[in-house]
Amino acid sequence: MIFIGLTVLLSILPFLNIIAVSLSSKEAIISDKVTIFPVGFNLESYKLVFEDVRMLKSMGITIFLTLVYTLLSMVMSICAAYPLTKEHLKGRSFFSMLIIFTMFFSGGMIPEYLLVKQLGMLDSLTSLIVPGMISAFNLIILRTFFTSIPKSLEESAYLDGSSHIGTLLRIVLPLSLPVLATLSLFYAVSRWNTYMDALFYITNSELYPIQLKLYQVVMNSMVTDLTAQEGAIQTEVVAEGIKAASIMFATVPILIVYPWLQRYFVSGTMIGAVKE
């Protein structure tokens, strides 16, 4: 237990340091007095972040992307996983192996970029949704969970005249809330944290998600650090505080989601991954 406690403590120390820097005064940051507690409490960095219209717009775009991406990804995963549980489906083994194959081999970055370009999705939000809309790993977990549902329930529904879609909506999905919540969290966190696809596909600054905006803030801060070494120390202090405040601004919203789905997280993952 002590080892686990120390591991958790060490893992959250960097996060506490970022919080402390974002809430500390310029003088405390420049003198390197900030550790895990704020020194000279100051909200100026957060004020600058929230007054930045571009930052707020990027946050709105990211929230929209995350909601749409998660919804479409879950719909696609359900539509793919449920038929694969049917033993009478022709080519069931082939499709399953094809899905597993994509977990180990991919076309690579350049072919994917060329495909997105040929489909006319560059500089549009569709380029951040469609290419990674479905995860083979999440699909396998969902399929395994569907397989664990007693067949007698579905057979009873069919005897009552229910269709496959009706059985899915009335029987299967209500019994699958733990795994649906867990995979929704997986998809949402994945979309929220990703910035590489936006870096490749988006050149219009009006469409930047918050993670790409945060990437720019961090990179600009590194450039400012070089400038600070030549004497512009005041700018370095402001940039460091804004960087920390921006990281908190981009991190807190997705952290708020965890408590709502935490009770489903462990049970959904274990049931979907272990029972076959």
Side-chain angles (χ1 to χ4, degrees), residues 61 64-65 121 123-130 202 207:
I61 290 175
F64 172 79
L65 273 175
M121 293 192 298
D123 262 339
S124 68
L125 296 181
T126 54
S127 65
L128 307 181
I129 297 176
V130 175
I202 303 296
L207 298 177

Side-chain angles (χ1 to χ4, degrees), residues 73-86 92 138-154 158 164 167-169 171-181 183 268 271-276:
S73 295
M74 288 305 301
V75 171
M76 292 289 291
S77 297
I78 292 171
C79 291
Y82 184 64
L84 290 175
T85 64
K86 305 304 176 185
R92 175 171 173 257
N138 294 343
L139 174 59
I140 293 173
I141 290 179
L142 187 59
R143 183 203 64 182
T144 307
F145 189 96
F146 285 165
T147 304
S148 69
I149 296 177
K151 299 297 182 182
S152 58
L153 296 177
E154 296 185 46
Y158 295 143
H164 285 291
T167 303
L168 174 65
L169 296 177
I171 304 296
V172 178
L173 294 185
L175 294 175
S176 305
L177 289 181
V179 73
L180 294 179
L183 297 185
I271 295 175
V274 176
K275 188 170 182 178
E276 181 65 51

Side-chain angles (χ1 to χ4, degrees), residues 34-90:
V34 183
T35 54
I36 61 174
F37 299 104
V39 179
F41 187 78
N42 190 351
L43 294 175
E44 187 65 26
S45 296
Y46 285 100
K47 181 180 178 181
L48 293 174
V49 170
F50 280 97
E51 287 179 350
D52 189 345
V53 178
R54 294 172 300 177
M55 187 71 75
L56 296 177
K57 185 174 182 179
S58 295
M59 175 62 76
I61 290 175
T62 302
I63 293 175
F64 172 79
L65 273 175
T66 302
L67 293 176
V68 174
Y69 174 82
T70 302
L71 177 62
L72 294 179
S73 295
M74 288 305 301
V75 171
M76 292 289 291
S77 297
I78 292 171
C79 291
Y82 184 64
L84 290 175
T85 64
K86 305 304 176 185
E87 297 179 357
H88 59 269
L89 176 67
K90 294 183 179 180

